[in-house]
Amino acid sequence: MLLTEAHRKLERKKAAATPHPSGDKRLVILDTFMKRQQFRGAALIEVLHKAQELFGFLDDGLLLYIAKSLKLPPSRVYGVATFYHFFSLKPQGEHNCVVCLGTACYVKGADKIMAALEKRTGIKSGETTPDNKLSLVTARCIGACGIAPAVVYDGTVSAKQTPDSALAAVEKLLAAPCNSKT
């Protein structure tokens, strides 16, 4: 056990001392994280979360890098990244609005909420406003069926939304001070 921990410390020191061929320190951190996960394919979701935390979104090159590192088919990595609404394949705006379109939310009017938000913002689902203030996303189901229709604003789930309450929440987000991610 002690040998394993000493070995991990040595590996971390080596990773920190050896610059990544690309020169991007975020890849060194991601490599260290994957090493800590022992490059297991079962850790794919955790690795994708770490990569998104580091890079802000998951582009094709990053997904291929992860697939190669974890020795997984790129189709599996892409499939997982596109299945979960928590992962983004494009740069996101300063604020996020995720409208759940699961069955319970849809039956209770999520489509009307989405239409109102699209009309107000001038963007469709999966797009970001030209000023990068807001990204509008839909989710297949966020697992909050008991509070349908649900909308997630910057990671906070809001229950029993209406088109008017969603528009008010988005207006509040857009009026909030800049929360720079750079």
Side-chain angles (χ1 to χ4, degrees):
M1 179 114 174
L2 287 174
L3 184 60
T4 304
E5 184 59 32
H7 181 72
R8 285 184 189 150
K9 280 184 180 179
L10 182 63
E11 290 296 321
R12 275 184 246 149
K13 279 185 179 179
K14 275 187 195 174
T18 308
H20 195 273
S22 70
D24 192 335
K25 290 181 181 178
R26 295 174 298 182
L27 287 174
V28 174
I29 295 169
L30 184 60
D31 284 345
T32 303
F33 184 80
M34 287 190 288
K35 197 174 284 185
R36 216 176 299 140
Q37 300 294 324
Q38 300 171 346
F39 295 98
R40 293 175 300 121
L44 176 59
I45 291 177
E46 290 90 349
V47 171
L48 289 173
H49 275 292
K50 186 66 176 180
Q52 184 163 290
E53 176 190 319
L54 292 168
F55 291 88
F57 66 102
L58 306 169
D59 67 9
D60 290 345
L62 187 57
L63 292 175
L64 286 172
Y65 182 78
I66 291 168
K68 184 178 177 186
S69 298
L70 298 181
K71 297 180 180 149
L72 292 172
S75 59
R76 181 169 173 204
V77 174
Y78 187 78
V80 170
T82 55
F83 180 78
Y84 294 104
H85 76 276
F86 295 109
F87 298 123
S88 174
L89 305 182
K90 296 178 184 173
Q92 294 295 293
E94 181 182 332
H95 299 285
N96 273 319
C97 178
V98 180
V99 178
C100 178
L101 292 181
T103 303
C105 289
Y106 192 85
V107 167
K108 292 192 173 187
D111 59 326
K112 292 171 185 70
I113 294 170
M114 193 66 201
L117 290 172
E118 286 178 345
K119 184 177 178 185
R120 160 58 183 92
T121 60
I123 58 172
K124 299 283 183 194
S125 175
E127 295 179 347
T128 300
T129 55
D131 61 358
N132 289 327
K133 292 278 279 183
L134 180 73
S135 292
L136 190 58
V137 182
T138 58
R140 292 182 185 107
C141 181
I142 62 170
C145 303
I147 59 170
V151 179
V152 183
Y153 305 102
D154 284 346
T156 303
V157 178
S158 294
K160 301 186 187 294
Q161 294 293 286
T162 64
D164 289 338
S165 65
L167 289 172
V170 165
E171 293 295 339
K172 188 177 175 183
L173 284 178
L174 294 176
C178 180
N179 186 13
S180 180
K181 294 177 181 177
T182 56

